[in-house]
Amino acid sequence: MRKQKKFNLGCGALLMIGLLAGCAQTNEAPVETRGGLGRTATVDPATLPGAENAGKPGYYTVKPGDTLIRIGLEHDQNWKDIAQWSQLANPNVIEVGQVVRVVPPGTAPGERPVATTPVQATSLPPASGAATPPAASSTSNTPSAPSADVAGLGLIWPAAGSVIGSFNETTNKGVDIAGKAGDPIVAAAAGKVIYVGEMRGYGQLIIIQHSKDYLTAYAHNQKMLVKEEQSVKKGQNIAQMGSSDTDRVKLHFELRRQGKPIDPVRYLPAR
């Protein structure tokens, strides 16, 4: 009787192991799901659009937690252009493993990406009190001036500290402003909050859309005081300064036109 009982227990254990193995097989690829533009979903990557382009120059494979806004910032592109180039049926949903195009069609591998509309050399008119930007060198294909809807942005400084990191096109896509933990950060212009969350290299980040072409980004915050889809006024407190995902307390501030970073100091009031 004892041997039979022992045999039965062994069979039960084997059955339980088999059931657990079966459960494990159904949960091999947990995927983070999040809201906002480009929230992720769970699908076999091999069946996703663009899978044949995985690893090719000019393409990007979506990772858990990615959004089109995040991908656009990392590749200096407008998320709307990425949606168009990738022929996304629904730009509000992207899936982990999906491959999206992050350079315009026809751009050769290794070539510097250029926006669909040639705007990166175009500059905002200076805000009231701002220093006049240096004249651009003359070319035969000078882009037209910005449209009137952005002429009145009138940016203000988002924080009171001194500039400790200047803009350049390769290593710093904005300016860094010094301060103490908890110092107020304000919206540089009126607009709508389109992103509040964590982003690689930016820490706790807020992005505000000011028009169809222009947005500002506020990075390394300690505390965020606004929510996505919220409308904000120029000068409204939106965050507290911090050191998230960086080596010291500071605000990293970016101004972008159609996804391309431009030097915000050229359009801020002189101090």
Side-chain angles (χ1 to χ4, degrees), residues 202-245:
Y202 288 87
Q204 294 197 55
L205 173 70
I206 294 172
I207 301 174
I208 300 176
Q209 188 85 44
H210 303 290
S211 71
K212 65 182 181 65
D213 292 328
Y214 288 90
L215 61 78
T216 51
Y218 310 75
H220 307 310
N221 304 309
Q222 172 178 282
K223 183 178 181 180
M224 266 95 85
L225 305 177
V226 292
K227 299 178 180 179
E228 289 182 5
E229 302 299 316
Q230 180 178 339
S231 294
V232 295
K233 298 178 181 179
K234 179 165 64 175
Q236 179 177 334
N237 278 9
I238 59 171
Q240 293 178 356
M241 191 177 294
S243 57
S244 56
D245 202 12

Side-chain angles (χ1 to χ4, degrees), residues 32-199:
E32 176 185 354
T33 301
R34 59 179 296 142
L37 285 167
R39 65 183 184 277
T40 56
T42 308
V43 174
D44 179 5
T47 67
L48 294 174
E52 69 279 5
N53 295 316
K56 293 182 181 179
Y59 292 88
Y60 175 81
T61 301
V62 177
K63 300 180 179 64
D66 275 341
T67 66
L68 281 187
I69 290 175
R70 178 198 296 264
I71 296 169
L73 278 180
E74 292 183 349
H75 293 87
D76 294 344
Q77 299 291 359
N78 189 321
W79 68 266
K80 294 179 182 178
D81 287 336
I82 294 175
Q84 180 182 355
W85 300 334
S86 306
Q87 299 180 338
L88 300 183
N90 183 357
N92 289 319
V93 177
I94 54 175
E95 297 160 312
V96 172
Q98 181 174 353
V99 179
V100 295
R101 189 175 192 116
V102 292
V103 299
T107 302
E111 182 180 341
R112 182 177 176 83
V114 178
T116 304
T117 304
V119 295
Q120 67 221 56
T122 306
S123 60
L124 277 167
S128 177
T132 302
S137 58
S138 60
T139 63
S140 57
N141 296 313
T142 303
S144 59
S147 55
D149 66 324
V150 297
L153 266 183
L155 297 178
I156 62 172
W157 285 87
S162 58
V163 174
I164 56 173
S166 300
F167 172 88
N168 64 68
E169 294 184 355
T170 54
T171 61
N172 194 354
K173 297 176 181 180
V175 295
D176 298 323
I177 302 173
K180 303 186 299 296
D183 280 354
I185 296 170
V186 303
K192 185 176 182 179
V193 179
I194 61 170
Y195 184 87
V196 176
E198 295 273 347
M199 190 175 290

